[in-house]
Each structure stands twice: as structure tokens, then as C-alpha cells.
Amino acid sequence: MKILIINGPNLNMLGAREKEIYGEQTLADMNAEIAEFCAANGMETVFYQSNIEGELVGAVQSVISRFGADGIVLNAGAYTHYSHAIGDALACVKVPKVEVHISNVHARENFRHLSVLADNCNGVICGFGADSYKLACLAIKHILQRCAK
Ligand code: CA2
């Protein structure tokens, strides 16, 4: 079981600034922690990050053909709040998908309360830092195991 973990714009800057919101870890540190957790829980991981909307659309579309993955954990960053292109891409792929956020978007500015991606995902997890991604991977594992029965 392999999970594709996609990070969107500016998440390559983790650990460099806004540490009070997003924490001290770099993206590489966070990915290593997620990979270790997933391996201990019987999941492989593959990571992708882009600042470009079209590249994120491409990654979602090619979850199976390019990444050979069975599910998607997606932090689309600010695109979460307005990218119907990414929303449409999610609607087209028939693998389990979980939207995640490091911060609790509902405790922040109003524009962060809206997700145009969530209705094309199985669920949303936010506010738990790197643990948001780990919980999302567990959720995908549960969905896939339920479907296999
Ligand atoms: O909380 C999250 O994970 C977000 O998806 C992060 C996005 C934000 O636009 C969403 O509303 C919530 C922003 C990512 C910016 O990441 C930075 C990290 C370090 C330094 C600067 C930006």
C-alpha cells in the first residue's frame, strides 16, 4: 500500500519563517517523520511538492501512472481555498483522498475557512502539524482495507 503525499505552494519554505504557525521543521524533516511513521504502519510513501497549480493537477492525475500510489494526502496550501482546477482533478481520480493542513485553518482568517477541494476528498484533517499527514495516511489505510473486504 503506497500513499502519495502532495504539498503545494510555499510548503517548501517550512522551517524558514512563520515558525509560530507552521513549526520549526523543514519539509524534508517532516517528510522523513511521516515516512518513518507510515513504514511502521505498513505503508510506503512517495512525496511531491510544487508551487505551480498545473503541476499539482498533473500529480493528482498521475497518482497511479507516475507514482504507483493507492491514495492521496494533499496539502494544497493556499490553492485549497480557490483552485477549482485541483478540485476537478481530485474528482477524476478514484483513489481515497484526504485534504490536510498543518494549521487549524478554522481558527485563522475567514478566507482559509473555505475549501473548494474538500467535497472531492474523503475527509479533511487540520491543526495537528505533521500529525495531520500521519492521521490522513491512517485514514486512507482504513478506507483501502475496508474496500478490500
Ligand atoms: O496550514 C496549512 O497547512 C496551510 O495549507 C498552509 C498554507 C495556507 O495558505 C493554508 O491556508 C493553510 C500556506 C503554506 C505556507 O507555508 C509556509 C511555511 C513556512 C514559511 C512560509 C510559508
Side-chain angles (χ1 to χ4, degrees):
M1 184 182 299
K2 190 172 176 183
I3 316 288
L4 170 61
I5 296 169
I6 302 176
N7 280 292
N10 296 308
L11 287 153
N12 57 318
M13 299 300 291
L14 282 177
R17 51 194 173 86
E18 298 198 65
K19 294 181 189 178
E20 62 295 345
I21 301 174
Y22 300 115
E24 301 265 341
Q25 273 188 324
T26 65
L27 183 60
D29 291 339
M30 188 176 77
N31 286 349
E33 185 183 316
I34 295 163
E36 189 182 333
F37 173 85
C38 284
N41 284 280
M43 292 172 276
E44 276 184 76
T45 42
V46 55
F47 296 90
Y48 181 81
Q49 190 275 332
S50 177
N51 295 320
I52 300 169
E53 186 178 24
E55 290 186 354
L56 296 168
V57 168
V60 169
Q61 287 177 351
S62 59
V63 52
I64 298 171
S65 61
R66 173 176 171 189
F67 295 101
D70 307 293
I72 298 174
V73 171
L74 172 63
N75 184 348
Y79 285 137
T80 303
H81 312 302
Y82 64 92
S83 175
H84 293 285
I86 297 174
D88 286 347
L90 289 168
C92 289
V93 294
K94 301 295 170 217
V95 298
K97 293 149 279 190
V98 178
E99 175 186 323
V100 298
H101 299 283
I102 295 168
S103 64
N104 178 359
V105 286
H106 301 289
R108 301 182 63 194
E109 304 95 319
N110 278 335
F111 79 89
R112 296 186 204 277
H113 300 178
L114 172 71
S115 168
V116 300
L117 310 182
D119 55 345
N120 286 310
C121 291
N122 295 75
V124 180
I125 299 171
C126 72
F128 301 104
D131 289 347
S132 293
Y133 296 79
K134 297 178 198 169
L135 292 166
C137 289
L138 286 181
I140 288 179
K141 181 180 176 184
H142 282 263
I143 293 167
L144 290 169
Q145 287 177 336
R146 209 166 53 218
C147 290
K149 280 183 187 160

